[in-house]
Amino acid sequence: MSISREEVVHVARLARLALTEEEIALYGEQLGRILGHADRVTSLDTEGVPPTAQAIALANVFRPDVLNEPAPCLSQREALANGPAVEAGHFRVPRILEDGDPSGEEVAEE
Amino acid sequence: MSDLVTTIGLEIHCELATSTKMFCGCAVGFGGEPNTRVCQVCLGHPGTLPVPNEQAVAYAIKIAVALGCGIAPSSIFHRKNYFYPDMPKNYQISQYDIPLGLKGVLEVTTDAGTRAVGITRVHLEEDTGKSLHMGSGGRIHDATYSLEDFNRAGTPLVEIVTEPDMTSPEEGRAFAQELRSILEYLEVSDVRLEEGSMRFDANISVAPPGERGAKVEVKNLNSLKSLHRALAYEEVRQREVLGGGGAIDQSTRHWDERSGVTRPLRTKEHAFDYRYFPEPDLVPIKPSPEWLEAITSGIPELPPARRRRFIADYGLTPYDANVLVASRAAADYFEDAAAAAAGIEPKQVANWLANDLLGRLSERGEDLETTRVTPQALGALVGLVAGGSISGAQGKVVLDEMMVSGRPPAEIVEEKGLKQVSGRSELKAVVAGVLAANSDVVDRIRGGDAKPQGFLVGQIMKATKGQANPAVVQELLKEMLQG
């Protein structure tokens, strides 16, 4: 099991990782081994086993829609405490979607 | 190029009116100080776990059932992965290949007729936070930085996707209106469009009949008006491009409300690679038959059925039925008022409600929930007018007073001495007096000039302090001028 250089670059881009050529080669090989391990599962006979996204046989785990007093919310000060930059009660973030931003998002054209 | 066909599909996001968020116990609300309705879960802190809000799931199922969808026996949540600062987890918990509801239908009526619009799916997800773009224009591309408020992050959100079954901007708007009414009837959302609790994206293509046009997605539609305007603009734009021999590219465009145009969005490569995978922290939703039954039995009579009943049982015109049924509050109010005005033509109650009360309320920035005029009082007022106790004009004066004081109409009529005088003998004396005092006018009318007759009516109303029954006055005038 191996994955191509293009796949590694694509996944790295989606995860916002800037990889060197050496890292691309290294992670390509490591990811290939992980996938190879998972690939062994396909050798099992799963005839008659329904597909599932869950390893535990649970369903319908819910929470009642009740607003507790006091609310479980953080104070604004606590909420912002770990923010790298804060302004006027908000998290301050760098401008979104700069040129060359690899986000794959959309920008309105002038 | 009139032989071109327009094809429209909609995607609607609607915030659910739960008390708490989708996956945590923070309050759901609008406005307020930024970042005060947030916790470790909706801020995406490491190690936290989501727990779904049972009421939100029930609301989403209620919507799906009301739209005629089949409910998935077992549906699951997925993670939709992308980076955007208004989403602190870097993924949105949504549904992907097994949504709560599939394959429904909603009929919409326009001047062009009735059309059944297919509902592709109804699924449950969480809303994002709000970004405030700081810079010269307050717009994303000239911002120098952005501020994030996560109060909205994690609000339960239902996404409703239609089939591309609509063929005009009017049908698109009618669908959105009808859906909004249904959501109001279901009491699952406050449907306040101006607060963003309902938002629209549209797909529109124009092509010769039988051909498939290139799909253009229009985003940023936050009102019924902008939905209609954007669709109408885009329909004309595409027709002009095709008419000029050009081709439409499959693309995404942004509606600019201010200038009333759509603009292209530059889509970079690798867009929409969301790497959906099943949310490992949440278990499937498997609604029991008992739960489904309980949810379904809570669905009231919905607008399409109620409209038919208003026409059949109350004898309303389709137009009046439409106006009243569009809002559950107005329709409920009408039924209560009509019951209070038993024996009176319901059409008259509908007129007083739709034309007089609702008009006055919107002028004053009030609504049927805040007004002091009860449905019973409006019914009583219509009864007084229909029974001839007061004239229509007097009724409007009484209504104004009712809106201020909330007092019953009969009391106001009594106090203001607003009794309508309909007795012929009583009025005959008044008319005779007015005619005698205005013999010059009478001569002109008898000479063939009908114009001053209104002046005489005015004089008679003045002499009776507006209490004369106008129909009787007209009748008497006609007789006595001839005589």
Side-chain angles (χ1 to χ4, degrees):
Chain A
M1 192 74 197
S2 69
I3 71 169
S4 70
R5 183 183 182 282
E6 286 67 38
E7 283 174 301
V8 177
V9 170
H10 177 60
V11 171
R13 181 188 173 103
L14 291 173
R16 304 295 183 278
L17 296 174
L19 300 186
T20 64
E21 277 305 319
E22 291 73 28
E23 285 169 327
I24 291 172
L26 176 67
Y27 294 143
E29 197 237 314
Q30 290 181 346
L31 287 169
R33 267 191 274 140
I34 292 168
L35 291 175
H37 180 72
D39 212 33
R40 290 172 59 200
V41 175
T42 62
S43 66
L44 294 174
D45 178 11
T46 55
E47 190 70 32
V49 180
T52 180
Q54 232 63 40
I56 38 171
L58 272 179
N60 300 332
V61 176
F62 298 125
R63 165 180 66 76
D65 182 33
V66 175
L67 189 58
N68 290 319
E69 283 295 335
C73 301
L74 300 169
S75 69
Q76 189 189 66
R77 193 182 50 78
E78 288 169 323
L80 298 173
N82 293 328
V86 163
E87 182 177 316
H90 293 77
F91 293 92
R92 179 179 164 148
V93 299
R95 66 167 278 166
I96 300 163
L97 314 172
E98 285 171 52
D99 280 351
D101 179 274
S103 66
E105 293 294 338
E106 302 162 331
V107 183
E109 272 178 3
E110 276 303 280
Chain B
M1 298 300 283
S2 58
D3 56 340
L4 292 172
V5 175
T6 300
T7 304
I8 295 170
L10 296 178
E11 193 179 298
I12 300 102
H13 286 93
C14 171
E15 288 179 349
L16 298 176
T18 50
S19 303
T20 62
K21 291 187 179 180
M22 185 63 228
F23 297 114
C24 66
C26 289
V28 163
F30 178 76
E33 283 296 301
N35 295 302
T36 51
R37 295 189 300 270
V38 292
C39 71
Q40 292 88 339
V41 176
C42 55
L43 284 176
H45 286 204
T48 55
L49 288 172
V51 187
N53 183 334
E54 182 168 22
Q55 184 71 77
V57 177
Y59 281 170
I61 291 175
K62 199 174 180 184
I63 294 168
V65 171
L67 295 175
C69 290
I71 302 300
S74 175
S75 89
I76 61 170
F77 287 103
H78 270 71
R79 288 189 184 178
K80 180 182 183 178
N81 299 277
Y82 63 98
F83 289 94
Y84 206 81
D86 64 10
M87 205 179 46
K89 293 197 296 288
N90 289 335
Y91 59 84
Q92 178 191 32
I93 302 179
S94 181
Q95 294 197 284
Y96 184 52
D97 54 349
I98 321 176
L100 275 177
L102 275 172
K103 287 198 174 76
V105 69
L106 179 61
E107 278 190 1
V108 294
T109 301
T110 62
D111 293 342
T114 297
R115 186 175 304 280
V117 177
I119 306 292
T120 313
R121 57 188 281 151
V122 173
H123 81 237
L124 194 51
E125 58 187 31
E126 54 178 340
D127 209 347
T128 59
K130 272 186 183 168
S131 300
L132 206 58
H133 303 299
M134 308 300 283
S136 49
R139 296 167 72 183
I140 191 162
H141 45 275
D142 50 29
T144 49
Y145 62 96
S146 299
L147 297 180
E148 300 297 330
D149 170 12
F150 293 113
N151 282 344
R152 194 181 69 176
T155 297
L157 201 62
V158 152
E159 180 177 316
I160 298 156
V161 182
T162 79
E163 292 293 307
D165 286 342
M166 288 155 275
T167 60
S168 68
E170 289 68 37
E171 279 182 358
R173 179 178 55 191
F175 178 90
Q177 249 162 356
E178 185 76 343
L179 180 64
R180 182 183 183 216
S181 292
I182 288 175
L183 295 171
E184 190 204 340
Y185 274 71
L186 294 174
E187 297 182 307
V188 294
S189 167
D190 58 23
V191 294
R192 288 197 192 108
L193 274 64
E194 65 285 4
E195 292 179 4
S197 58
M198 232 182 136
R199 313 191 283 269
F200 310 99
D201 298 316
N203 290 310
I204 173 169
S205 66
V206 172
E211 285 182 35
R212 223 191 163 95
K215 195 168 81 175
V216 173
E217 189 178 3
V218 186
K219 290 178 165 285
N220 189 37
L221 307 171
N222 297 325
S223 71
L224 295 171
K225 192 173 142 213
S226 52
L227 170 67
H228 182 253
R229 282 178 73 203
L231 286 173
Y233 174 87
E234 192 55 28
E235 181 180 46
V236 170
R237 186 189 71 83
Q238 292 188 24
R239 278 171 184 265
E240 279 173 358
V241 171
L242 292 171
I248 304 290
D249 291 331
Q250 181 157 335
S251 55
T252 303
R253 299 174 74 88
H254 180 93
W255 169 247
D256 184 335
E257 182 74 41
R258 220 172 352 172
S259 38
V261 299
T262 63
R263 296 182 206 281
L265 290 162
R266 170 163 44 98
T267 306
K268 296 184 182 180
E269 58 177 323
H270 301 305
F272 309 123
D273 190 343
Y274 293 127
R275 292 153 296 150
Y276 280 99
F277 65 86
E279 167 58 83
D281 292 339
L282 294 168
V283 301
I285 299 169
K286 297 183 178 178
S288 68
E290 296 75 33
W291 196 31
L292 282 181
E293 173 55 32
I295 293 168
T296 305
S297 65
I299 296 178
E301 181 186 37
L302 294 175
R306 199 170 203 188
R307 218 175 277 123
R308 284 193 294 273
R309 186 165 61 80
F310 275 23
I311 294 167
D313 293 4
Y314 292 112
L316 298 190
T317 61
Y319 177 83
D320 284 339
N322 216 18
V323 168
L324 294 178
V325 169
S327 143
R328 184 178 184 176
D332 287 350
Y333 193 101
F334 166 73
E335 295 213 69
D336 291 344
I344 313 292
E345 233 191 331
K347 164 87 186 150
Q348 298 196 38
V349 178
N351 286 343
W352 275 89
L353 173 55
N355 302 333
D356 299 297
L357 182 57
L358 289 178
R360 281 170 167 75
L361 288 174
S362 87
E363 275 167 25
R364 293 159 178 243
E366 293 180 54
D367 59 39
L368 289 173
E369 272 146 45
T370 59
T371 183
R372 308 190 67 170
V373 181
T374 64
Q376 291 70 26
L378 185 75
L381 174 66
V382 178
L384 290 174
V385 176
S389 301
I390 54 172
S391 68
Q394 288 176 328
K396 282 166 196 172
V397 174
V398 174
L399 181 59
D400 284 330
E401 174 64 27
M402 288 161 70
M403 292 184 69
V404 176
S405 66
R407 290 163 60 207
E411 211 177 291
I412 298 168
V413 166
E414 185 72 47
E415 181 193 272
K416 289 192 183 283
L418 284 177
K419 288 283 176 202
Q420 176 167 262
V421 180
S422 304
R424 278 178 63 91
S425 53
E426 202 176 332
L427 286 176
K428 206 166 179 175
V430 180
V431 174
V434 168
L435 292 188
N438 297 281
S439 54
D440 51 330
V441 178
V442 172
D443 288 344
R444 273 171 62 198
I445 295 172
R446 287 187 173 144
D449 181 6
K451 260 188 261 166
Q453 195 158 326
F455 167 77
L456 293 179
V457 173
Q459 292 300 305
I460 295 160
M461 296 310 283
K462 202 170 157 191
T464 58
K465 292 186 187 128
Q467 296 182 2
N469 182 329
V472 178
V473 167
Q474 290 289 357
E475 209 178 279
L476 285 169
L477 256 185
K478 204 173 155 195
E479 288 170 21
M480 293 166 75
L481 283 170
Q482 274 168 4

